[in-house]
Amino acid sequence: MRALRLPAPEELIGINAGDATDEQDIAYNAHCTGAITAALLELRAAGMEPPMLRTFYPHDEEDSADLVSLDRDGNVVVLDPGSR
């Protein structure tokens, strides 16, 4: 199964996640959702139906990845939140 490792907030917005403003946190989450959606759409275009992907946020262990897919409307849904 394909995996997507998401960048740390420091890499995208230049600030530690704990120090992020609400606007910066929203921007980081929007970036991650967009990256996940794009990867799932690529999988769907390649013939995987339903498209599924393991997503790793910064500092996630191997068993803590989320299993995600797309719903009928193209929204990201978490099928298995992993363990954190």
Side-chain angles (χ1 to χ4, degrees):
M1 177 168 300
R2 184 166 166 204
L4 177 65
R5 296 198 179 272
L6 298 161
E10 297 86 9
E11 296 173 43
L12 292 177
I13 59 176
I15 192 166
N16 185 302
D19 298 329
T21 64
D22 287 344
E23 291 81 16
Q24 290 168 323
D25 191 47
I26 290 167
Y28 175 72
N29 288 323
H31 171 83
C32 291
T33 300
I36 293 167
T37 302
L40 289 167
L41 289 172
E42 286 178 20
L43 291 172
R44 178 177 278 167
M48 180 186 277
E49 196 59 46
M52 288 189 275
L53 179 68
R54 286 259 176 222
T55 58
F56 292 87
Y57 285 85
H59 314 296
D60 275 353
E61 300 295 328
E62 286 300 314
D63 64 344
S64 64
D66 296 338
L67 176 63
V68 297
S69 189
L70 294 174
D71 66 12
R72 292 181 186 162
D73 297 322
N75 299 308
V76 175
V77 292
V78 177
L79 304 175
D80 179 4
S83 61
R84 288 192 174 78

Coordinates of all heavy atoms in Angstrom, one line a residue:
M1 N 0.8 -1.2 0.0 CA 0.0 0.0 0.0 C 0.9 1.2 0.0 O 1.9 1.3 0.7 CB -0.9 0.0 1.2 CG -1.7 1.2 1.3 SD -3.0 1.1 2.5 CE -4.0 -0.3 1.9
R2 N 0.5 2.2 -0.8 CA 1.3 3.4 -0.9 C 1.2 4.2 0.4 O 0.2 4.2 1.1 CB 0.7 4.3 -2.0 CG 1.6 5.5 -2.2 CD 1.3 6.2 -3.6 NE 1.8 7.5 -3.5 CZ 1.4 8.5 -4.3 NH1 0.4 8.3 -5.1 NH2 2.0 9.7 -4.2
A3 N 2.3 4.9 0.7 CA 2.3 5.7 1.9 C 2.7 7.2 1.6 O 3.4 7.4 0.6 CB 3.3 5.2 2.9
L4 N 2.2 8.1 2.3 CA 2.5 9.5 2.1 C 3.0 10.1 3.4 O 2.3 10.0 4.4 CB 1.3 10.3 1.7 CG 1.5 11.8 1.5 CD1 2.4 12.1 0.4 CD2 0.1 12.4 1.2
R5 N 4.3 10.6 3.4 CA 4.8 11.2 4.6 C 4.7 12.7 4.5 O 5.2 13.3 3.5 CB 6.3 10.8 4.8 CG 6.4 9.3 5.0 CD 7.8 8.9 5.6 NE 7.8 7.5 5.8 CZ 7.5 6.9 6.9 NH1 7.0 7.6 7.9 NH2 7.6 5.6 7.0
L6 N 3.9 13.3 5.4 CA 3.6 14.7 5.3 C 4.7 15.5 6.0 O 5.3 15.0 7.0 CB 2.3 15.0 6.0 CG 1.1 14.2 5.3 CD1 -0.1 14.1 6.2 CD2 0.8 15.0 4.0
P7 N 5.0 16.7 5.5 CA 6.1 17.5 6.1 C 5.7 18.1 7.4 O 4.5 18.2 7.7 CB 6.3 18.6 5.0 CG 4.9 18.7 4.4 CD 4.4 17.3 4.3
A8 N 6.7 18.4 8.2 CA 6.5 19.0 9.5 C 6.1 20.5 9.3 O 6.4 21.1 8.2 CB 7.8 19.0 10.3
P9 N 5.3 21.0 10.2 CA 4.9 22.5 10.1 C 6.1 23.4 9.9 O 6.0 24.4 9.2 CB 4.2 22.8 11.4 CG 3.7 21.4 11.9 CD 4.7 20.4 11.4
E10 N 7.2 23.0 10.5 CA 8.4 23.8 10.4 C 8.9 24.0 8.9 O 9.4 25.0 8.5 CB 9.6 23.3 11.2 CG 9.3 23.2 12.7 CD 8.5 22.0 13.2 OE1 8.4 21.0 12.4 OE2 8.1 21.9 14.3
E11 N 8.7 22.9 8.2 CA 9.1 22.9 6.8 C 8.2 23.8 5.9 O 8.6 24.3 4.9 CB 9.1 21.5 6.2 CG 10.1 20.6 6.9 CD 10.0 19.1 6.5 OE1 9.8 18.9 5.3 OE2 10.0 18.2 7.3
L12 N 6.9 23.9 6.3 CA 6.0 24.6 5.5 C 5.8 26.0 5.9 O 5.7 26.9 5.1 CB 4.6 23.9 5.5 CG 4.6 22.5 4.8 CD1 3.2 21.9 5.0 CD2 4.9 22.7 3.3
I13 N 5.6 26.2 7.2 CA 5.3 27.6 7.7 C 6.4 28.2 8.5 O 6.3 29.3 9.0 CB 4.0 27.6 8.5 CG1 4.0 26.7 9.7 CG2 2.8 27.3 7.6 CD1 2.8 26.7 10.6
G14 N 7.5 27.4 8.7 CA 8.7 27.9 9.4 C 8.5 28.2 10.9 O 9.3 29.0 11.4
I15 N 7.6 27.5 11.5 CA 7.4 27.6 12.9 C 7.0 26.3 13.5 O 6.3 25.5 12.9 CB 6.3 28.7 13.2 CG1 6.3 29.1 14.6 CG2 5.0 28.3 12.7 CD1 5.5 30.4 14.9
N16 N 7.4 26.1 14.8 CA 7.0 24.9 15.5 C 5.5 24.8 15.6 O 4.8 25.8 15.9 CB 7.7 24.9 16.9 CG 7.4 23.7 17.7 OD1 6.3 23.3 17.9 ND2 8.5 23.1 18.1
A17 N 4.9 23.6 15.5 CA 3.5 23.4 15.5 C 2.9 24.0 16.8 O 1.8 24.6 16.8 CB 3.1 22.0 15.3
G18 N 3.6 23.8 17.9 CA 3.0 24.3 19.2 C 3.0 25.9 19.2 O 2.3 26.4 20.0
D19 N 3.8 26.5 18.4 CA 3.8 28.0 18.4 C 3.0 28.6 17.3 O 3.0 29.8 17.1 CB 5.3 28.5 18.2 CG 6.1 28.0 19.4 OD1 5.6 27.9 20.5 OD2 7.3 27.8 19.2
A20 N 2.3 27.8 16.5 CA 1.6 28.3 15.3 C 0.3 29.0 15.8 O -0.4 28.7 16.7 CB 1.2 27.1 14.4
T21 N 0.0 30.1 15.0 CA -1.2 30.8 15.2 C -2.4 29.9 14.6 O -2.1 29.0 13.9 CB -1.2 32.2 14.5 OG1 -1.1 31.9 13.1 CG2 0.0 33.0 15.0
D22 N -3.6 30.3 14.9 CA -4.7 29.6 14.3 C -4.7 29.6 12.8 O -4.9 28.6 12.2 CB -6.1 30.2 14.8 CG -6.4 29.9 16.2 OD1 -5.7 29.0 16.8 OD2 -7.2 30.6 16.8
E23 N -4.3 30.8 12.2 CA -4.2 30.9 10.8 C -3.1 30.0 10.2 O -3.3 29.3 9.2 CB -4.0 32.3 10.4 CG -5.1 33.3 10.6 CD -5.2 33.7 12.1 OE1 -4.2 33.6 12.8 OE2 -6.3 34.2 12.5
Q24 N -2.0 29.9 10.9 CA -0.9 29.0 10.4 C -1.3 27.5 10.6 O -1.0 26.7 9.7 CB 0.4 29.3 11.2 CG 1.0 30.6 10.9 CD 2.1 31.0 11.9 OE1 2.0 30.8 13.1 NE2 3.1 31.7 11.3
D25 N -2.0 27.2 11.6 CA -2.5 25.8 11.8 C -3.5 25.5 10.7 O -3.4 24.4 10.2 CB -3.1 25.7 13.2 CG -3.3 24.3 13.6 OD1 -2.4 23.4 13.4 OD2 -4.5 24.0 14.1
I26 N -4.3 26.4 10.4 CA -5.3 26.1 9.3 C -4.6 26.0 8.0 O -4.9 25.1 7.2 CB -6.4 27.3 9.3 CG1 -7.3 27.2 10.5 CG2 -7.2 27.2 8.0 CD1 -8.1 28.5 10.7
A27 N -3.6 26.8 7.7 CA -2.8 26.7 6.5 C -2.1 25.3 6.4 O -2.1 24.7 5.3 CB -1.9 27.8 6.4
Y28 N -1.5 24.9 7.5 CA -0.8 23.6 7.5 C -1.8 22.5 7.2 O -1.5 21.6 6.4 CB -0.1 23.4 8.8 CG 0.5 22.0 8.9 CD1 1.7 21.7 8.2 CD2 0.0 21.1 9.8 CE1 2.3 20.5 8.3 CE2 0.6 19.8 9.9 CZ 1.7 19.5 9.1 OH 2.3 18.3 9.2
N29 N -2.9 22.5 7.9 CA -3.9 21.4 7.7 C -4.5 21.4 6.3 O -4.7 20.4 5.7 CB -5.0 21.5 8.8 CG -4.6 21.2 10.1 OD1 -3.8 20.2 10.3 ND2 -5.1 21.9 11.2
A30 N -4.7 22.6 5.7 CA -5.2 22.7 4.4 C -4.1 22.1 3.4 O -4.5 21.4 2.5 CB -5.5 24.1 4.0
H31 N -2.9 22.4 3.6 CA -1.8 21.8 2.8 C -1.8 20.3 2.9 O -1.7 19.6 1.8 CB -0.4 22.4 3.2 CG 0.7 21.7 2.5 ND1 1.1 22.0 1.2 CD2 1.4 20.6 2.8 CE1 2.0 21.2 0.8 NE2 2.3 20.3 1.8
C32 N -1.9 19.8 4.1 CA -1.9 18.3 4.3 C -3.1 17.7 3.6 O -2.9 16.7 2.9 CB -1.8 18.0 5.7 SG -0.2 18.4 6.5
T33 N -4.2 18.3 3.8 CA -5.5 17.7 3.2 C -5.3 17.7 1.6 O -5.7 16.8 1.0 CB -6.7 18.5 3.6 OG1 -6.8 18.4 5.1 CG2 -8.0 18.0 3.0
G34 N -4.8 18.8 1.1 CA -4.6 18.9 -0.3 C -3.6 17.9 -0.9 O -3.9 17.3 -1.9
A35 N -2.5 17.7 -0.1 CA -1.6 16.7 -0.5 C -2.1 15.3 -0.5 O -1.9 14.4 -1.4 CB -0.3 16.7 0.3
I36 N -2.9 15.0 0.5 CA -3.6 13.7 0.7 C -4.6 13.5 -0.4 O -4.6 12.4 -1.1 CB -4.2 13.5 2.1 CG1 -3.2 13.5 3.2 CG2 -5.1 12.3 2.1 CD1 -3.7 13.7 4.6
T37 N -5.4 14.5 -0.7 CA -6.4 14.4 -1.8 C -5.7 14.2 -3.1 O -6.2 13.3 -3.9 CB -7.3 15.7 -1.8 OG1 -7.9 15.8 -0.5 CG2 -8.3 15.6 -2.9
A38 N -4.7 14.9 -3.4 CA -4.0 14.7 -4.7 C -3.4 13.3 -4.8 O -3.5 12.7 -5.9 CB -2.9 15.8 -4.8
A39 N -2.8 12.8 -3.8 CA -2.3 11.4 -3.8 C -3.4 10.4 -4.1 O -3.2 9.5 -4.8 CB -1.5 11.1 -2.6
L40 N -4.5 10.6 -3.4 CA -5.6 9.6 -3.6 C -6.2 9.7 -5.0 O -6.6 8.7 -5.6 CB -6.7 9.9 -2.5 CG -6.3 9.5 -1.1 CD1 -7.3 10.1 -0.1 CD2 -6.3 8.0 -0.9
L41 N -6.3 10.9 -5.5 CA -6.8 11.1 -6.9 C -5.9 10.4 -7.9 O -6.3 9.8 -8.9 CB -7.0 12.5 -7.2 CG -8.2 13.2 -6.5 CD1 -8.3 14.7 -6.7 CD2 -9.5 12.5 -6.9
E42 N -4.5 10.5 -7.6 CA -3.6 9.8 -8.5 C -3.8 8.3 -8.5 O -3.7 7.6 -9.5 CB -2.1 10.1 -8.1 CG -1.7 11.5 -8.4 CD -0.3 11.8 -7.9 OE1 0.5 10.8 -7.6 OE2 0.1 13.0 -7.8
L43 N -4.0 7.8 -7.3 CA -4.3 6.3 -7.1 C -5.5 5.9 -7.9 O -5.6 4.9 -8.5 CB -4.3 5.9 -5.7 CG -3.0 6.0 -4.9 CD1 -3.2 5.8 -3.4 CD2 -2.0 5.0 -5.4
R44 N -6.6 6.8 -7.7 CA -7.8 6.5 -8.4 C -7.6 6.5 -9.9 O -8.1 5.6 -10.6 CB -8.9 7.5 -8.0 CG -10.2 7.2 -8.7 CD -11.3 8.1 -8.3 NE -11.9 7.6 -7.1 CZ -12.6 8.3 -6.3 NH1 -12.9 9.5 -6.5 NH2 -13.1 7.7 -5.2
A45 N -6.9 7.5 -10.4 CA -6.6 7.6 -11.9 C -5.8 6.4 -12.4 O -5.9 6.0 -13.5 CB -5.9 8.9 -12.2
A46 N -5.0 5.8 -11.5 CA -4.2 4.6 -11.9 C -5.0 3.3 -11.8 O -4.4 2.3 -12.0 CB -2.9 4.5 -11.0
G47 N -6.2 3.4 -11.4 CA -7.1 2.2 -11.3 C -7.4 1.7 -10.0 O -8.1 0.7 -9.9
M48 N -6.8 2.2 -8.9 CA -7.1 1.7 -7.6 C -8.5 2.2 -7.1 O -8.7 3.4 -7.1 CB -6.1 2.1 -6.6 CG -6.4 1.6 -5.2 SD -5.2 2.2 -3.9 CE -3.9 1.0 -4.1
E49 N -9.4 1.3 -6.9 CA -10.7 1.7 -6.5 C -11.2 0.8 -5.4 O -11.3 -0.4 -5.6 CB -11.7 1.7 -7.7 CG -13.0 2.4 -7.4 CD -12.8 3.9 -7.1 OE1 -12.1 4.6 -7.8 OE2 -13.5 4.3 -6.2
P50 N -11.5 1.2 -4.2 CA -11.3 2.6 -3.8 C -9.8 2.9 -3.5 O -9.1 2.0 -3.1 CB -12.1 2.7 -2.5 CG -12.0 1.4 -1.9 CD -12.0 0.4 -3.1
P51 N -9.4 4.2 -3.8 CA -8.0 4.5 -3.5 C -7.8 4.5 -2.0 O -8.6 5.0 -1.2 CB -7.9 5.9 -4.1 CG -9.3 6.5 -4.0 CD -10.2 5.3 -4.2
M52 N -6.7 3.9 -1.5 CA -6.4 3.9 -0.1 C -4.9 4.3 0.1 O -4.1 3.9 -0.8 CB -6.7 2.6 0.5 CG -8.2 2.3 0.7 SD -8.5 0.9 1.7 CE -8.4 -0.4 0.4
L53 N -4.6 4.9 1.2 CA -3.3 5.5 1.4 C -3.0 5.5 2.9 O -3.9 5.8 3.7 CB -3.3 6.9 0.8 CG -2.1 7.8 0.9 CD1 -1.0 7.2 0.0 CD2 -2.4 9.2 0.5
R54 N -1.8 5.2 3.3 CA -1.3 5.4 4.7 C -0.7 6.7 4.8 O 0.2 7.0 4.0 CB -0.4 4.3 5.1 CG -1.0 2.9 5.3 CD -1.2 2.7 6.8 NE -1.9 1.4 6.9 CZ -2.9 1.3 7.8 NH1 -3.2 2.3 8.6 NH2 -3.5 0.1 7.9
T55 N -1.1 7.5 5.7 CA -0.5 8.9 5.9 C 0.3 8.9 7.2 O -0.2 8.5 8.2 CB -1.5 10.0 5.8 OG1 -2.5 9.7 6.9 CG2 -2.2 10.0 4.5
F56 N 1.5 9.5 7.1 CA 2.3 9.6 8.3 C 2.5 11.1 8.5 O 3.1 11.8 7.6 CB 3.7 9.0 8.0 CG 3.6 7.5 7.9 CD1 3.4 6.8 6.7 CD2 3.9 6.7 9.1 CE1 3.3 5.5 6.7 CE2 3.8 5.3 9.0 CZ 3.6 4.7 7.8
Y57 N 2.1 11.6 9.7 CA 2.5 12.9 10.1 C 3.8 12.9 10.7 O 4.3 11.9 11.1 CB 1.4 13.5 11.0 CG 0.1 13.8 10.3 CD1 -0.9 12.8 10.0 CD2 -0.1 15.1 9.8 CE1 -2.0 13.1 9.3 CE2 -1.3 15.4 9.1 CZ -2.2 14.4 8.9 OH -3.3 14.7 8.2
P58 N 4.5 14.1 10.8 CA 5.8 14.1 11.4 C 5.8 13.4 12.8 O 4.8 13.5 13.6 CB 6.1 15.6 11.6 CG 5.2 16.2 10.6 CD 4.0 15.4 10.4
H59 N 6.8 12.6 13.0 CA 7.0 11.9 14.3 C 6.1 10.7 14.5 O 6.1 10.2 15.6 CB 6.9 12.9 15.5 CG 7.7 14.2 15.3 ND1 9.1 14.2 15.2 CD2 7.3 15.4 15.2 CE1 9.4 15.4 15.0 NE2 8.4 16.2 15.0
D60 N 5.3 10.4 13.5 CA 4.5 9.1 13.6 C 5.4 7.9 13.5 O 6.4 7.9 12.8 CB 3.5 9.0 12.4 CG 2.2 9.8 12.6 OD1 2.1 10.3 13.7 OD2 1.4 9.9 11.7
E61 N 5.1 6.9 14.3 CA 5.7 5.6 14.2 C 5.0 4.8 13.1 O 3.9 5.2 12.6 CB 5.6 4.9 15.6 CG 6.2 5.6 16.7 CD 7.7 5.7 16.6 OE1 8.3 4.8 16.0 OE2 8.3 6.7 17.1
E62 N 5.6 3.7 12.7 CA 5.0 2.9 11.6 C 3.6 2.5 11.9 O 2.8 2.4 11.0 CB 5.9 1.7 11.4 CG 7.2 2.0 10.7 CD 7.0 2.7 9.3 OE1 6.1 2.2 8.5 OE2 7.6 3.7 9.0
D63 N 3.3 2.2 13.2 CA 1.9 1.7 13.5 C 0.9 2.8 13.8 O -0.2 2.5 14.1 CB 2.0 0.7 14.7 CG 2.4 1.4 16.0 OD1 3.0 2.5 15.9 OD2 2.2 0.7 17.0
S64 N 1.4 4.0 13.6 CA 0.5 5.1 13.9 C -0.1 5.8 12.7 O -0.8 6.9 12.8 CB 1.1 6.2 14.9 OG 2.2 6.7 14.2
A65 N 0.2 5.3 11.5 CA -0.2 6.0 10.3 C -1.8 5.8 10.2 O -2.3 4.8 10.6 CB 0.4 5.3 9.1
D66 N -2.4 6.8 9.6 CA -3.8 6.8 9.3 C -4.0 6.1 8.0 O -3.2 6.3 7.0 CB -4.4 8.2 9.2 CG -4.3 9.0 10.5 OD1 -4.2 8.4 11.6 OD2 -4.4 10.2 10.4
L67 N -5.1 5.3 7.9 CA -5.5 4.8 6.6 C -6.6 5.7 6.1 O -7.6 5.8 6.8 CB -6.0 3.3 6.7 CG -6.5 2.7 5.5 CD1 -5.4 2.6 4.4 CD2 -7.1 1.3 5.8
V68 N -6.4 6.3 4.9 CA -7.4 7.2 4.4 C -7.9 6.8 3.0 O -7.2 6.1 2.3 CB -6.9 8.6 4.4 CG1 -6.5 9.1 5.8 CG2 -5.6 8.7 3.5
S69 N -9.0 7.3 2.6 CA -9.6 7.1 1.3 C -10.4 8.3 0.9 O -10.4 9.3 1.7 CB -10.4 5.8 1.3 OG -10.8 5.5 -0.1
L70 N -11.1 8.2 -0.2 CA -12.1 9.3 -0.6 C -13.5 8.8 -0.5 O -13.8 7.6 -0.8 CB -11.8 9.7 -2.0 CG -10.4 10.4 -2.3 CD1 -10.3 10.6 -3.8 CD2 -10.3 11.7 -1.6
D71 N -14.4 9.7 -0.1 CA -15.8 9.3 -0.1 C -16.4 9.6 -1.5 O -15.6 10.0 -2.4 CB -16.6 10.0 1.0 CG -16.7 11.5 0.9 OD1 -16.3 12.1 -0.2 OD2 -17.1 12.2 1.8
R72 N -17.6 9.4 -1.7 CA -18.2 9.6 -3.0 C -18.2 11.0 -3.5 O -18.2 11.2 -4.7 CB -19.7 9.1 -2.9 CG -19.9 7.7 -2.8 CD -21.3 7.3 -2.7 NE -21.4 5.9 -2.4 CZ -22.5 5.3 -2.0 NH1 -23.6 6.0 -1.8 NH2 -22.5 4.0 -1.7
D73 N -18.0 11.9 -2.6 CA -18.0 13.3 -3.0 C -16.5 13.8 -3.1 O -16.3 15.0 -3.4 CB -18.7 14.2 -1.9 CG -20.2 13.9 -1.8 OD1 -20.8 13.6 -2.9 OD2 -20.7 13.9 -0.7
G74 N -15.6 12.9 -3.0 CA -14.2 13.3 -3.1 C -13.5 13.9 -1.9 O -12.4 14.4 -2.0
N75 N -14.2 13.7 -0.8 CA -13.6 14.2 0.5 C -12.7 13.1 1.1 O -13.1 12.0 1.1 CB -14.7 14.6 1.5 CG -15.6 15.7 0.9 OD1 -15.0 16.8 0.5 ND2 -16.9 15.6 0.9
V76 N -11.7 13.5 1.8 CA -10.8 12.6 2.5 C -11.6 12.0 3.7 O -12.1 12.8 4.5 CB -9.5 13.3 2.9 CG1 -8.7 12.3 3.8 CG2 -8.7 13.7 1.7
V77 N -11.5 10.7 3.9 CA -12.1 10.1 5.1 C -11.1 9.2 5.7 O -10.3 8.6 5.0 CB -13.4 9.3 4.8 CG1 -14.5 10.2 4.4 CG2 -13.1 8.2 3.7
V78 N -11.0 9.2 7.0 CA -10.1 8.3 7.8 C -10.8 7.0 8.0 O -11.8 7.0 8.7 CB -9.6 9.0 9.1 CG1 -8.7 8.1 9.9 CG2 -9.0 10.3 8.8
L79 N -10.2 5.9 7.5 CA -10.8 4.6 7.7 C -10.3 4.0 9.0 O -11.0 3.2 9.6 CB -10.5 3.7 6.5 CG -11.0 4.2 5.1 CD1 -10.5 3.3 4.0 CD2 -12.5 4.4 5.1
D80 N -9.0 4.2 9.3 CA -8.4 3.7 10.5 C -7.4 4.8 11.0 O -6.4 5.1 10.3 CB -7.6 2.4 10.1 CG -6.9 1.8 11.3 OD1 -7.1 2.3 12.5 OD2 -6.2 0.8 11.2
P81 N -7.7 5.3 12.2 CA -6.8 6.4 12.6 C -5.5 6.0 13.2 O -4.7 6.9 13.6 CB -7.7 7.1 13.7 CG -8.5 6.0 14.2 CD -8.8 5.1 13.0
G82 N -5.2 4.7 13.1 CA -3.9 4.3 13.6 C -3.8 4.5 15.1 O -4.8 4.8 15.8
S83 N -2.6 4.5 15.7 CA -2.5 4.6 17.2 C -1.5 5.7 17.4 O -0.4 5.7 16.9 CB -2.1 3.3 17.8 OG -0.8 2.9 17.3
R84 N -1.8 6.7 18.2 CA -0.9 7.8 18.6 C -0.9 7.9 20.1 O -1.7 7.8 20.8 CB -1.4 9.1 18.0 CG -1.2 9.2 16.6 CD -1.4 10.6 16.0 NE -1.1 10.6 14.6 CZ -1.8 10.2 13.7 NH1 -3.0 9.7 13.9 NH2 -1.4 10.2 12.4

